[in-house]
Amino acid sequence: MTSYSKEYLQRDERQSDQPAGPGGSAGEIQIIHPLNGQQETRWCLLALLLILLAGGTGIWFNQTIPPEKSSHLELNTQDKAMLTSLSNAITEIRFLQQTDNLWPDIKTLEEMMIPPFHSVTADYQWQMPDRGCYLGIALQTRTTFLLVIPESSQSPGHIYTRQSDPGKHQSCHETEHWQLQITEF
Amino acid sequence: MKAIRILTVFSGRALSVLLSTLVLLSGNLQAAPLKVGITLHPYYSYVANVVGDRAEIVPLVDAGFNPHSYELQPADLKRLLTMDALVLNGIGHDEFATHAVEKLIHSQPELKDRLTLINANKDVPLLAAANTQNAWNPHTFVSIDASIRQVYTIARELGNLDPDNARYFQKNAIIYARKLRGLKNNYMRELSGQDLSQVRIASTHNAYGYFLQEFGIGIDTVIEPAHGVEPSATQLQKTIDRIRKANVNLLFTELDMDNRYVSTIERATGIRLHHFSHMTYGSYGKDKVYLEMEQNLKTLSQALTEALSSDSVPAGAE
């Protein structure tokens, strides 16, 4: 008697008031779930959802941020070559400046055959608006280059471009109208 | 009394000898040349020209390996542990070294203080890799201007490690840069005035982007689907179609690499084939970059002259 479930006892009490059937047995109702795998399917789906959720969360939090596209990649082949050339020129100008304690002017850079100031194809007209500042105005293309090298060797030089005539924006100290392409180090 | 005086004189002399020995020893310790490791052949040439006889160069791997498929061996790791600095390409061509070094530093954190990693490409305006997203073209060493940029970066970093020789390294770097540039100028003069805008170029391996860029030439088609990966039959067919459609005049391929599919392309398109040095094969040498760069310049000059000549055969011959 003690092993019967509460449900069974309640049903038993209800049924005891009624007359016994022809067989004499008081109607015992036992719920038996069919063995059709429905329960397992539910558990499997739940586990699958949990795994997907955990995986999705993991991926969401561990995504590699794609590197920011460098602005110099937008330049054409000739301008990219000019950028590398100017990047080398920074080191050579610094070396000359440290040797002579004097910023080399355009004529000196040409004489020293330092590109792009000295070039087989004269595509640029170079100016030196200030100490450590060199402005290259394109004669055929649209891109103008500005090279600014600080006096201190601890501060990096910068190379800027502009896709239109610099006009009045030729100051070496106001570079907000220019696109920074690369820094020296 | 006399014995005490003798003892005092003797101790004084012993002390001065000891001090002199210590001074000499510390002097020798300070003067110990840097041991600079390199991963690829061009970096041997760069470092050799920068340091002269004031540092020892230690190639991480013995000559004769293929940098596209190499994996570090225990002997290489042993060499790595003797270095003060290691000059790296660092943008994909010496991953066999960068991965190993990362793991080694992770397991031996003290190595980080002992071994300075010099990323030679740190200051180079890089090109994007062909056919691959979010990756750089690592072949900066097959170029004169990008080589010079790397030489300057190496000289600066080595100067930071050895301040006594910093100016010497920098001066050597500038002399070497001028030598390389002089070489380029000779060929630039030959090609100046030529209209290269009609020249269409295909390349098996994406190794010549920086080199051709110096002459204002872009590459229209790169055949390898990824760095060091041969194209499948379908990809090869697509490439052949692309070459025909773009009317490519020249195909550049590796001098020391066996690309089985190149002859197929050559037959199918009638395109002219030229070989460039990748500079990462054979033995290490101080003049390797200069000599092989000169060969590449000759090849380029000859190829462009042929392409511009009236008898140039356009792609799509077959």
Side-chain angles (χ1 to χ4, degrees):
Chain A
M1 191 68 182
T2 51
S3 63
Y4 291 154
S5 69
K6 199 177 172 184
E7 188 188 11
Y8 174 77
L9 287 172
Q10 283 169 347
R11 281 174 184 165
D12 198 32
E13 278 165 15
R14 279 200 308 271
Q15 286 163 359
S16 63
D17 299 331
Q18 298 168 6
S25 66
E28 286 180 16
I29 299 170
Q30 197 172 358
I31 299 169
I32 298 164
H33 293 291
L35 194 63
N36 60 1
Q38 221 172 24
Q39 282 299 98
E40 285 82 350
T41 308
R42 282 196 197 113
W43 282 115
C44 279
L45 281 171
L46 188 68
L48 199 69
L49 273 172
L50 280 173
I51 291 166
L52 282 173
L53 197 70
T57 315
I59 290 169
W60 180 263
F61 284 105
N62 288 293
Q63 283 186 80
T64 309
I65 301 161
E68 204 175 308
K69 204 176 177 189
S70 300
S71 59
H72 77 264
L73 292 176
E74 303 295 326
L75 298 175
N76 65 29
T77 306
Q78 285 83 2
D79 290 344
K80 281 180 194 153
M82 171 66 88
L83 201 61
T84 312
S85 198
L86 276 173
S87 161
N88 292 336
I90 295 181
T91 306
E92 304 207 20
I93 291 170
R94 272 200 194 281
F95 186 78
L96 290 172
Q97 194 270 334
Q98 284 161 8
T99 308
D100 306 329
N101 208 19
L102 193 74
W103 287 104
D105 58 17
I106 304 297
K107 194 168 174 254
T108 309
L109 294 172
E110 270 177 10
E111 283 169 2
M112 301 286 291
M113 298 180 81
I114 295 173
F117 305 96
H118 169 86
S119 172
V120 175
T121 54
D123 296 333
Y124 277 81
Q125 187 185 20
W126 288 96
Q127 299 167 15
M128 188 182 176
D130 205 346
R131 284 155 26 107
C133 176
Y134 302 88
L135 176 72
I137 297 170
L139 299 176
Q140 288 166 358
T141 58
R142 290 174 62 214
T143 315
T144 306
F145 284 86
L146 180 69
L147 175 62
V148 182
I149 313 173
E151 185 107 33
S152 162
S153 59
Q154 302 305 311
S155 309
H158 295 95
I159 302 172
Y160 302 89
T161 60
R162 213 180 129 80
Q163 291 298 323
S164 59
D165 192 310
K168 60 180 180 181
H169 305 296
Q170 294 193 12
S171 167
C172 303
H173 308 289
E174 293 165 16
T175 50
E176 63 266 29
H177 299 286
W178 293 78
Q179 168 77 53
L180 175 66
Q181 293 297 350
I182 50 168
T183 53
E184 184 184 0
F185 48 80
Chain B
M1 193 63 187
K2 194 181 174 184
I4 292 169
R5 212 164 60 200
I6 289 168
L7 197 66
T8 313
V9 170
F10 179 75
S11 334
R13 281 185 183 167
L15 194 66
S16 63
V17 167
L18 188 69
L19 279 172
S20 314
T21 312
L22 279 173
V23 167
L24 276 173
L25 200 66
S26 64
N28 280 342
L29 283 174
Q30 278 174 0
L34 285 176
K35 273 192 145 187
V36 185
I38 55 98
T39 54
L40 299 170
H41 297 67
Y43 297 100
Y44 185 97
S45 298
Y46 300 163
V47 175
N49 280 282
V50 166
V51 301
D53 57 357
R54 298 193 189 177
E56 187 188 338
I57 310 170
V58 186
L60 180 62
V61 184
D62 286 328
F65 70 107
N66 180 354
H68 295 104
S69 57
Y70 189 75
E71 284 195 21
L72 277 197
Q73 303 299 309
D76 307 327
L77 291 172
K78 209 173 156 187
R79 265 193 293 269
L80 179 72
L81 295 172
T82 67
M83 298 169 188
D84 297 305
L86 176 62
V87 178
L88 293 164
N89 169 270
I91 49 168
H93 221 298
D94 48 12
E95 280 179 336
F96 61 87
T98 50
H99 289 167
V101 169
E102 272 170 26
K103 280 181 191 164
L104 211 60
I105 286 177
H106 186 71
S107 63
Q108 297 180 40
E110 70 277 6
L111 192 65
K112 203 173 180 181
D113 300 323
R114 204 151 39 87
L115 177 70
T116 302
L117 300 176
I118 299 176
N119 182 357
N121 281 299
K122 196 162 69 73
D123 307 317
V124 177
L126 299 170
L127 296 179
N131 307 332
T132 314
Q133 279 195 327
N134 299 327
W136 296 114
N137 180 344
H139 301 94
T140 46
F141 46 82
V142 192
S143 152
I144 292 172
D145 282 352
S147 287
I148 292 173
R149 183 59 267 163
Q150 292 179 85
V151 167
Y152 287 159
T153 300
I154 292 167
R156 190 183 65 236
E157 298 287 324
L158 290 178
N160 289 341
L161 276 179
D162 183 359
D164 291 342
N165 285 314
R167 190 77 182 158
Y168 173 77
F169 293 159
Q170 198 181 13
K171 197 177 168 187
N172 284 347
I174 285 180
I175 292 168
Y176 184 50
R178 287 181 185 165
K179 191 177 163 186
L180 288 175
R181 215 157 43 215
L183 194 62
K184 177 181 151 185
N185 285 344
N186 293 338
Y187 291 90
M188 283 288 267
R189 274 186 216 103
E190 272 184 29
L191 294 169
S192 71
Q194 304 264 37
D195 178 17
L196 302 176
S197 60
Q198 298 307 310
V199 179
R200 296 278 173 269
I201 291 175
S203 156
T204 54
H205 188 63
N206 189 26
Y208 321 116
Y210 295 96
F211 181 57
L212 294 173
Q213 175 186 272
E214 295 182 57
F215 295 87
I217 310 166
I219 294 178
D220 295 273
T221 302
V222 175
I223 295 163
E224 280 184 359
H227 186 215
V229 180
E230 281 198 7
S232 65
T234 319
Q235 286 166 331
L236 196 58
Q237 185 55 54
K238 281 183 183 167
T239 305
I240 288 167
D241 294 342
R242 212 161 55 232
I243 287 174
R244 282 176 173 155
K245 205 174 166 186
N247 204 24
V248 168
N249 318 65
L250 297 169
L251 172 62
F252 290 113
T253 188
E254 306 289 322
L255 193 64
D256 301 296
M257 203 185 279
D258 181 30
N259 290 326
R260 289 165 292 168
Y261 56 87
V262 172
S263 49
T264 312
I265 296 172
E266 202 179 4
R267 274 198 309 274
T269 61
I271 197 169
R272 287 174 190 265
L273 182 65
H274 297 270
H275 294 84
F276 276 147
S277 166
H278 190 276
M279 303 199 185
T280 54
Y281 297 94
S283 53
Y284 296 101
K286 187 180 176 183
D287 295 324
K288 186 178 180 71
V289 164
Y290 183 88
L291 296 173
E292 296 193 13
M293 200 72 88
E294 186 172 27
Q295 193 54 49
N296 283 355
L297 284 163
K298 268 184 197 164
T299 305
L300 178 66
S301 174
Q302 193 186 348
L304 290 174
T305 309
E306 276 179 23
L308 293 167
S309 67
S310 54
D311 62 341
S312 179
V313 180
E318 197 176 299

